[in-house]
Amino acid sequence: MLDLIKKAEETHMLTKDELVALLSTDEFDKEIFEAANRVRSKYVGEEVHLRGLIEFSNICKQNCLYCGLRRDNPNVERYRLDAEQIINFARNARNLGYRTVVLQSGEDDYFNVERMRYIIKSIKELDLAITLSIGEKTYDEYKAYKEAGADRYLLRIETTDKNLYESLDPKMSHENRIRCLIDLKELGFEVGTGCLVGLPGQTIESLADDILFFKSLDADMIGVGPFIPNPDTPLKDEDGGTFELSLKVMALTRLLLPDVNIPATTAMETLNRNGRLIALQSGANVVMPNVTEGEYRKLYALYPGKICVNDTPAHCFGCISGKINSIGRPISKDYGYRKKFIEKN
Ligand code: SAM
Ligand code: SF4
């Protein structure tokens, strides 16, 4: 196994069988995490990029079995911010020192192209990079967001196992998910994708396929997080993913895609109180603190135990910055584009 880790660190290539071998034992986890940390340091450096997350609507027309925002969950109080609130949260994030905001929501058709265009243009005037995470759209809709100034788009593939995906995301097609990612690439977005770890019925082989999919797509950002069962969803009695396996999928992703941006996900911190710092020392280089203000934080409830629901953006910024500095890592002051992306454009 040590030879496989060495090969991954030096060549950034592993076969599916080799990935499966590393994912099947926890005996060499420490070596994998250390190798991923070295690769992170060599390719993307010590700086940690902070992206301010604005959760602007928890209304969703989709019905993903794992997600608390699913259409058929009657136990969530729904909200939708208006454009001025969203722009205001972005302005406050800029004043705190953020250079990027991530606008995330359920698939809420109220936010049509015209409304999104206004929000994107207004936020660009604040000199912020914008990441959108608002689900599956048409090519023309993605094009309109890009023309309005959006820089990046996050759309996790969730799992590359087509049958599993289509059983967990009713009425959504795996082909369409992939079509979206290809359209986004073609339109010149920095594209983020990723997977959930620990979905019911998910195999180690399919996790290996997920990592190889990220590489074949040449994704610019990859978010890996544990699936955490939500008591208000059909998957409430499932086991969910573990912190350790999620961390390992993330670290192997770093070994195979050395220069991409990888967040230390909030879901990891939900399962381990030092989860984000451990992830930052095992291959991650991005953190996405919440900059949504007020009661909305707790209403955007994908899974139970979400961190920081009663905190303010200023508190979160200070808290996470202090933690990051405590492990000897500086906070980046730039927009945090992938280097390869800047060279290409
Ligand atoms: N609606 C958009 C979409 O699905 O791409 C963006 C918002 S969605 C809530 C963002 C991510 O939340 C999903 O990609 C999914 O991986 C994650 N998520 C949903 N339910 C989860 C759960 N129970 N545990 C962990 N992550 C979850
Ligand atoms: Fe909606 Fe996204 Fe949740 Fe699926 S994962 S139900 S699309 S918010």
Side-chain angles (χ1 to χ4, degrees):
M1 292 292 171
L2 291 177
D3 52 326
L4 288 186
I5 299 169
K6 188 161 183 270
K7 176 182 166 193
E9 183 169 356
E10 286 172 1
T11 67
H12 314 300
M13 305 287 273
L14 287 178
T15 65
K16 179 172 175 182
D17 286 348
E18 290 168 338
L19 281 168
V20 168
L22 289 170
L23 286 165
S24 302
T25 169
D26 52 17
E27 218 181 305
F28 302 94
D29 283 7
K30 186 169 169 283
E31 286 77 8
I32 292 174
F33 299 146
E34 286 172 0
N37 195 37
R38 285 192 295 273
V39 169
R40 186 272 309 151
S41 171
K42 180 170 167 193
Y43 283 84
V44 295
E46 301 310 314
E47 288 191 340
V48 174
H49 300 280
L50 297 184
R51 327 266 203 218
L53 178 65
I54 302 176
E55 299 162 331
F56 68 92
S57 166
N58 70 355
I59 296 170
C60 189
K61 67 178 182 190
Q62 302 292 0
N63 225 1
C64 308
L65 262 50
Y66 42 80
C67 178
L69 305 191
R70 65 195 304 272
R71 186 182 69 224
D72 288 351
N73 178 9
N75 298 334
V76 60
E77 189 185 321
R78 304 286 173 170
Y79 73 89
R80 175 186 282 147
L81 304 186
D82 65 34
E84 297 314 318
Q85 278 174 303
I86 300 170
I87 297 160
N88 208 23
F89 287 179
R91 184 177 298 109
N92 293 346
R94 179 74 182 89
N95 290 341
L96 282 173
Y98 287 95
R99 306 306 303 272
T100 300
V101 285
V102 181
L103 304 183
Q104 192 181 82
S105 68
E107 290 200 13
D108 180 355
D109 286 340
Y110 170 85
F111 288 98
N112 56 18
V113 163
E114 200 186 324
R115 291 194 169 102
M116 285 311 298
R117 196 183 279 133
Y118 172 73
I119 294 165
I120 293 166
K121 284 193 166 167
S122 307
I123 293 180
K124 283 308 281 185
E125 283 169 17
L126 302 170
D127 188 26
L128 281 161
I130 298 181
T131 305
L132 297 177
S133 173
I134 58 177
E136 296 184 12
K137 307 283 172 186
T138 64
Y139 181 89
D140 287 343
E141 287 170 310
Y142 288 145
K143 187 160 180 268
Y145 307 151
K146 187 80 186 77
E147 284 168 0
D151 303 277
R152 309 179 181 129
Y153 206 101
L154 299 181
L155 186 77
R156 285 180 172 179
I157 190 70
E158 315 291 3
T159 169
T160 44
D161 179 335
K162 176 176 157 56
N163 292 333
L164 179 61
Y165 177 83
E166 291 181 355
S167 71
L168 295 176
D169 295 42
K171 301 231 167 71
M172 291 172 88
S173 102
H174 204 248
E175 275 87 31
N176 194 49
R177 199 90 179 159
I178 294 175
R179 189 272 306 160
C180 289
L181 289 166
I182 293 171
D183 283 355
L184 290 163
K185 270 257 152 198
E186 191 190 309
L187 284 162
F189 282 95
E190 271 201 316
V191 175
T193 189
C195 65
L196 283 168
V197 176
L199 289 167
Q202 189 178 42
T203 60
I204 288 293
E205 285 73 16
S206 86
L207 287 171
D209 281 335
D210 293 351
I211 300 170
L212 293 173
F213 172 78
F214 305 151
K215 197 162 169 72
S216 68
L217 182 72
D218 189 25
D220 301 295
M221 307 170 279
I222 296 151
V224 174
F227 155 58
I228 304 175
N230 184 318
D232 291 327
T233 64
L235 302 187
K236 61 178 185 297
D237 296 325
E238 299 294 339
D239 286 340
T242 64
F243 176 73
E244 291 73 20
L245 186 57
S246 309
L247 194 68
K248 186 148 73 169
V249 173
M250 186 206 79
L252 289 169
T253 299
R254 170 61 74 198
L255 289 175
L256 264 62
L257 291 100
D259 67 333
V260 297
N261 284 319
I262 298 185
T265 55
T266 309
M268 292 226 196
E269 187 103 344
T270 301
L271 293 192
N272 181 314
R273 56 185 289 272
N274 275 322
R276 288 181 297 182
L277 286 192
I278 296 170
L280 287 172
Q281 293 167 302
S282 309
N285 69 321
V286 172
V287 177
M288 290 165 49
N290 203 328
V291 297
T292 318
E293 297 178 29
E295 60 184 321
Y296 306 113
R297 283 180 180 231
K298 65 174 179 304
L299 299 180
Y300 197 85
L302 315 181
Y303 48 75
K306 184 183 179 195
I307 58 166
C308 310
V309 286
N310 295 316
D311 293 329
T312 62
H315 174 88
C316 287
F317 185 82
C319 169
I320 194 66
S321 302
K323 284 186 182 181
I324 291 167
N325 293 153
S326 78
I327 57 167
R329 302 271 288 277
I331 308 287
S332 170
K333 292 192 169 52
D334 68 29
Y335 299 104
Y337 291 99
R338 182 185 183 190
K339 258 197 228 122
K340 178 171 173 179
F341 191 84
I342 301 175
E343 284 155 16
K344 227 171 44 189
N345 289 275

